[in-house]
Amino acid sequence: MTPYLRNFDLSGTTAVVTGASRGIGAEIAVGLMEAGANVTTLQRSAPGEDLLAVAARERRRLEHVEADFASEESIAAAISGAIRIAPIAILVNNAGTQIRHDSVDFPLTDFDKIMDINTRAVFQLCAGFARAMIDRRSGKIVNLSSLLAFQGGLRVPAYAASKGAVDQLTKAFANEWAPFGVNVNAVAPGYVATDMNANLLADENRSAQISARI
């Protein structure tokens, strides 16, 4: 185990991470396995070779349940599938999507798609996994928000709105479930070198503007 993780021993627990096939989600899954947790990933594609190698190195169980976060039925089936593998002690809602348009031209279909995946799916996943956590009087949920929930961003009104909603859902769940031993928190990352931000980072002007604010 990495030395700095010794104070965060998760041995014997199972965590669910959504959107763990790449980017931030994959690194979260790595960190959880290094801390001792077994991990079940929820997304369309199976974990990549890098994640499988970490699981083998750390001797952790790495499972995958296919999920389409735009589909209520698929999410419900994924929740049931993950719970059948092992009791879930930790849920990390990382999966999300981004679409950019000028706000005056933003199609409602794209707005709805982002809200479905980034907000409604998070609500359904939290509620679905929290039921057993409440019964056990123990559980941790971490929702991935964004700095754009506070800043608004440019040409991303739906994304900013969806992440603002995630923040409010997190507060509502924390208020309701804290008496039952279920902790609910949100993390708002800044700009990270992932596929979602590739175009921004490739734009020298925008990249400089973003870096200057860090």
Side-chain angles (χ1 to χ4, degrees):
M1 180 183 292
T2 306
Y4 69 86
L5 287 173
R6 286 176 183 156
N7 292 328
F8 303 92
D9 186 6
L10 301 175
S11 298
T13 66
T14 297
V16 163
V17 183
T18 71
S21 59
R22 58 186 179 179
I24 294 174
E27 294 303 318
I28 290 172
V30 168
L32 287 165
M33 287 191 288
E34 288 181 343
N38 298 311
V39 171
T40 298
T41 67
L42 266 61
Q43 66 262 337
R44 287 178 175 173
S45 57
E49 292 298 324
D50 289 348
L51 210 56
L52 292 169
V54 172
R57 183 191 74 209
E58 299 294 330
R59 299 183 180 180
R60 309 297 176 220
R61 186 181 68 245
L62 178 63
E63 304 281 356
H64 170 63
V65 177
E66 186 174 348
D68 176 1
F69 297 111
S71 166
E72 176 184 350
E73 293 75 18
S74 178
I75 293 170
I79 293 169
S80 297
I83 291 173
R84 281 197 295 270
I85 293 170
I88 305 305
I90 303 163
L91 167 65
V92 181
N93 279 311
N94 164 77
T97 191
Q98 171 68 289
I99 303 174
R100 293 179 172 86
H101 298 287
D102 291 342
S103 294
V104 294
D105 298 320
F106 211 102
L108 287 177
T109 52
D110 283 352
F111 188 94
D112 290 343
K113 178 180 179 180
I114 290 173
M115 296 301 292
D116 283 349
I117 294 173
N118 292 5
T119 303
R120 183 192 53 76
V122 170
F123 173 81
Q124 186 179 358
L125 287 158
C126 285
F129 282 109
R131 190 181 304 276
M133 294 179 179
I134 290 168
D135 288 343
R136 293 195 305 270
R137 297 298 195 270
S138 176
K140 312 290 184 184
I141 296 175
V142 179
N143 296 323
L144 270 288
S145 176
S146 168
L147 286 184
L148 296 189
F150 311 100
Q151 297 174 344
L154 296 171
R155 305 182 70 243
V156 290
Y159 184 85
S162 72
K163 292 302 185 177
V166 166
D167 286 346
Q168 296 307 315
L169 281 176
T170 300
K171 294 172 185 177
F173 292 146
N175 290 340
E176 187 173 346
W177 298 338
F180 303 102
V182 179
N183 302 127
V184 190
N185 292 281
V187 176
Y191 291 91
V192 180
T194 63
D195 292 346
M196 181 181 288
N197 293 321
N199 290 336
L200 287 176
L201 296 173
D203 184 326
E204 292 185 6
N205 183 49
R206 284 291 288 137
S207 184
Q209 292 172 344
I210 290 166
S211 298
R213 301 207 315 255
I214 297 174

